[in-house]
Amino acid sequence: MQAIFPILRYSDARGAIRWLCATFGFVELFSVPESGRIVRHAQLKLGTNVIMLGSVRPDEGMASPQELGTATQALYVYVDDLDGHFARAQSAGAEVTEPPRGTDFGAREYHVRDLEGHPWTFGTYRPDAD
């Protein structure tokens, strides 16, 4: 059961929702409000996991990497079919920073940046929480 839910901020949150769904295969669960330029809160699902996102709000002290010129965090996402997922992301225009490769800990992974610069790693490694 998921207990940690990443929260991302985007300058264009509506565009990010569309892009994340088309590029990485997320499914939008809901968005508040449902339309308009500003997204107060949205939830997207990939497999059994949920991320939350919304528009950048200056009073909150969070920004998009695009605004900062650097990222301050990265996300790692387990996928069953790494090569299929990579092909989808690459054909949808994700900025590939490292193509699929084997790791020294027995997994395979690839690295990309989303449309506003958030770094993502997709791979076959599943940490054991126990």
Side-chain angles (χ1 to χ4, degrees):
M1 178 166 149
Q2 183 175 340
I4 297 174
F5 299 88
I7 300 171
L8 302 171
R9 290 291 180 249
Y10 291 91
S11 296
D12 178 6
R14 295 262 178 239
I17 291 167
R18 289 188 300 274
W19 193 90
L20 292 167
C21 291
T23 305
F24 296 153
F26 280 94
V27 174
E28 181 179 357
L29 298 176
F30 69 85
S31 177
V32 177
E34 291 183 13
S35 62
R37 191 178 69 78
I38 302 297
V39 175
R40 177 73 186 134
H41 180 78
Q43 291 185 7
L44 278 61
K45 182 177 181 178
L46 182 65
T48 60
N49 297 289
V50 172
I51 64 168
M52 300 184 289
L53 65 91
S55 300
V56 169
R57 295 186 287 276
D59 63 327
E60 190 176 66
M62 292 176 67
S64 165
Q66 186 177 50
E67 295 173 355
L68 294 176
T70 190
T72 60
Q73 56 75 44
L75 294 134
Y76 186 97
V77 180
Y78 171 84
V79 292
D80 286 322
D81 178 9
L82 183 78
D83 295 313
H85 196 272
F86 175 73
R88 176 185 182 148
Q90 187 175 39
S91 68
E95 176 193 344
V96 177
T97 57
E98 193 170 327
R101 65 169 177 85
T103 67
D104 57 356
F105 50 90
R108 290 187 68 237
E109 62 187 29
Y110 75 91
H111 303 264
V112 293
R113 291 192 184 275
D114 69 22
L115 73 171
E116 290 196 19
H118 290 284
W120 294 76
T121 300
F122 292 91
T124 60
Y125 177 69
R126 275 202 151 144
D128 184 1
D130 297 325

